[in-house]
Amino acid sequence: LFRQAAQTVCGSCALSAHCWNGGRERTTALLSLLEKPLRADGSLTRLNVPKPFREGCARWVELSEEVARRWSFHMAREGARRRVAQVRSVVSEQLGGVGELLEGLSRKLEAKQVCDGTAEEITEELLQWGCRLHSVECTSEGENRMELRLHIASWEEGVMQPQEIADLLSDLLGLKLEAEENDDAAQADCITLHSCPQWSVSFGAAQHTRSGESLCGDCYSAADLGDRAVLLLSDGMGSGGRAAVDAAMTCGLMERLLRAGFGTRGALRVVNSALLVRAEDESLATSDCVSVDLYTGKAHFSKAGAVCSFLRRGDEIIPIELPSLPLGILREVDCAEQEMQLEEGDVVVLVSDGVGDIEQYSWLRSELLAYDGSEPRMLARNIIAAAEAKRSDEDDDMTALVFQVSCTE
């Protein structure tokens, strides 16, 4: 860079032969003095150009300006090169995430099993009640999940209604079945039954926005996806609008991917890639995700940088602490996971770090034990109110997301 700048400026200087023929080493040493202020300040001015260089070069102003111009161009080119390399890397990771998403869907489709033996039992049972079937399509998608399509050949007078058939087959199969409404006249002789979830989830949330900010840097979401309930909590880096955008993007994209049937880890990889390429500055956000299987009562906890959660079971408080890094830092997702079998009346609390770093949670345990199980939203409000009262350091965004499970059998 120095050589190119010198060729441009020194070529028209009357002292060029003196500087470069007889005093090349001295001239090179003088030029090298510009490197330190150039790297430190990113430019050269009359204030930061070293005195020996000013005194040793007759055209030091022009030469330093040419060096600074070429340096600026060089840094811009290097920045663009690094950015392209980063985008390529992130796109590669994102394609890996998409591959994991599709693999998860493939496993889900492969889990569907045709139950021929069950179909024969159903045909024989309904024949005894005056209903002759053309065929029965019976598929199972895992524990306690079943879908039936009954193609009716003939009905005897006074035959049962679809829901009555569902109740009859519920006793036969040991599953609670429900008949779907059929508005298609062409499919009047086809009845679709599906097993009902055996667990339900109720939830409540409360938030506190940092003083002086109009937007909360935390975002939460709770969604009933039919076969599972998904609860999400994200804490954006810092506070205010920028943190709110990062947290909202994390929650929103995660929910859309999970609604589409994708797995948690694959969804996290896609969100992580989105945060990496969203802006040149760092975009960081935590992800705290709980997916509850409404057919089995199993809960899958997944954390990326999120603080400890708590499960209350009777008079016992079980911490769920899964150390990991937030999204948007590494190219690969640092996600910690744990699966637990929930029980009737279990209460789970997810909190953001504004709540979770206070006195090692002793007061939060007391709030959980005092909860009477009536309304999750009230517990969430009590947690936020207690956290606000106990904070002695700088104010921060706070969120508490509470859910409790019950068995519908």
Side-chain angles (χ1 to χ4, degrees):
L1 187 148
F2 289 152
R3 184 175 65 253
Q4 292 172 354
Q7 288 174 351
T8 301
V9 176
C10 299
S12 59
C13 179
L15 297 175
S16 178
H18 168 74
C19 295
W20 290 103
N21 293 339
R24 177 177 293 274
E25 291 185 5
R26 173 181 173 276
T27 303
T28 302
L30 287 176
L31 276 170
S32 67
L33 296 175
L34 298 178
E35 181 176 355
K36 186 176 180 179
L38 197 60
R39 289 188 181 277
D41 303 331
S43 63
L44 294 172
T45 66
R46 294 177 180 271
L47 297 177
N48 65 2
V49 171
K51 184 177 180 181
F53 181 80
R54 297 198 306 267
E55 294 176 347
C57 178
R59 300 180 67 177
W60 70 269
V61 174
E62 296 173 61
L63 185 54
S64 60
E65 288 178 351
E66 181 66 16
V67 168
R69 185 186 69 80
R70 290 180 177 273
W71 172 264
S72 177
F73 177 76
H74 166 74
M75 293 304 295
R77 183 175 58 188
E78 284 299 299
R81 184 186 62 79
R82 286 194 296 269
R83 186 64 176 164
V84 168
Q86 182 189 25
V87 170
R88 284 176 176 168
S89 175
V90 171
V91 168
S92 174
E93 174 64 18
Q94 195 161 39
L95 289 175
V98 172
E100 189 168 337
L101 294 178
L102 296 177
E103 184 181 353
L105 286 181
S106 175
R107 287 195 299 266
K108 197 171 183 180
L109 291 173
E110 289 175 356
K112 282 193 174 184
Q113 298 179 351
V114 178
C115 308
D116 293 331
T118 303
E120 292 177 4
E121 289 184 49
I122 292 170
T123 301
E124 294 175 2
E125 179 71 17
L126 291 181
L127 186 59
Q128 298 178 23
W129 291 86
C131 180
R132 188 180 300 275
L133 302 177
H134 273 307
S135 62
V136 178
E137 299 173 22
C138 179
T139 56
S140 173
E141 298 182 29
E143 189 177 354
N144 299 332
R145 290 178 173 84
M146 184 172 288
E147 183 175 277
L148 305 173
R149 288 179 66 84
L150 310 179
H151 298 273
I152 311 298
S154 62
W155 299 80
E156 290 186 5
E157 187 176 352
V159 74
M160 294 177 292
Q161 296 299 311
Q163 188 55 49
E164 292 176 307
I165 293 178
D167 295 338
L168 174 65
L169 296 182
S170 296
D171 295 333
L172 175 68
L173 302 176
L175 294 173
K176 182 174 176 55
L177 298 174
E178 187 175 69
E180 294 184 5
E181 294 185 8
N182 188 0
D183 298 328
D184 189 351
Q187 295 288 328
D189 292 333
C190 179
I191 298 176
T192 301
L193 311 176
H194 60 83
S195 56
C196 301
Q198 300 178 13
W199 294 80
S200 64
V201 172
S202 56
F203 80 96
Q207 284 189 312
H208 164 79
T209 301
R210 180 177 178 175
S211 300
E213 299 289 351
S214 58
L215 295 173
C216 182
D218 301 338
C219 183
Y220 68 89
S221 173
D224 184 350
L225 306 186
D227 63 336
R228 54 184 172 152
V230 173
L231 297 105
L232 296 162
L233 174 59
S234 179
D235 181 0
M237 180 181 70
S239 60
R242 178 173 172 176
V245 168
D246 290 342
M249 187 183 80
T250 300
C251 253
L253 187 52
M254 278 290 293
E255 182 179 340
R256 288 197 294 273
L257 291 170
L258 294 175
R259 280 186 180 277
F262 296 120
T264 305
R265 180 170 283 275
L268 282 172
R269 288 183 69 177
V270 173
V271 174
N272 184 63
S273 300
L275 285 171
L276 284 172
V277 300
R278 193 182 76 82
E280 291 186 4
D281 298 330
E282 284 187 332
S283 292
L284 308 181
T286 66
S287 174
D288 204 348
C289 176
V290 185
S291 177
V292 182
D293 190 320
L294 299 180
Y295 287 88
T296 64
K298 292 180 180 177
H300 181 266
F301 294 84
S302 174
K303 291 181 181 289
V307 297
C308 184
S309 301
F310 294 91
L311 166 65
R312 192 195 82 173
R313 179 169 292 165
D315 294 331
E316 182 183 7
I317 304 297
I318 304 172
I320 304 170
E321 191 165 11
L322 303 172
S324 54
L325 292 174
L327 302 174
I329 295 180
L330 303 177
R331 201 184 78 179
E332 296 183 358
V333 173
D334 179 27
C335 170
E337 299 172 290
Q338 181 177 337
E339 189 169 87
M340 299 181 67
Q341 177 63 54
L342 299 181
E343 298 180 4
E344 172 73 24
D346 279 355
V347 179
V348 178
V349 176
L350 311 181
V351 295
S352 61
D353 65 355
V355 176
D357 59 1
I358 305 171
E359 299 179 10
Q360 299 181 345
Y361 308 103
S362 58
W363 62 272
L364 197 150
R365 293 171 182 265
S366 300
E367 291 290 342
L368 263 174
L369 291 174
Y371 175 56
D372 61 6
S374 59
E375 188 178 355
R377 183 178 299 177
M378 187 58 65
L379 174 58
R381 289 176 177 173
N382 290 343
I383 290 173
I384 293 300
E388 290 176 358
K390 288 182 176 293
R391 287 207 71 99
S392 58
D393 56 352
E394 184 181 357
D395 190 16
D396 196 4
D397 297 316
M398 304 180 194
T399 301
L401 180 58
V402 179
F403 74 92
Q404 61 186 67
V405 297
S406 56
C407 187
T408 58
E409 288 186 324

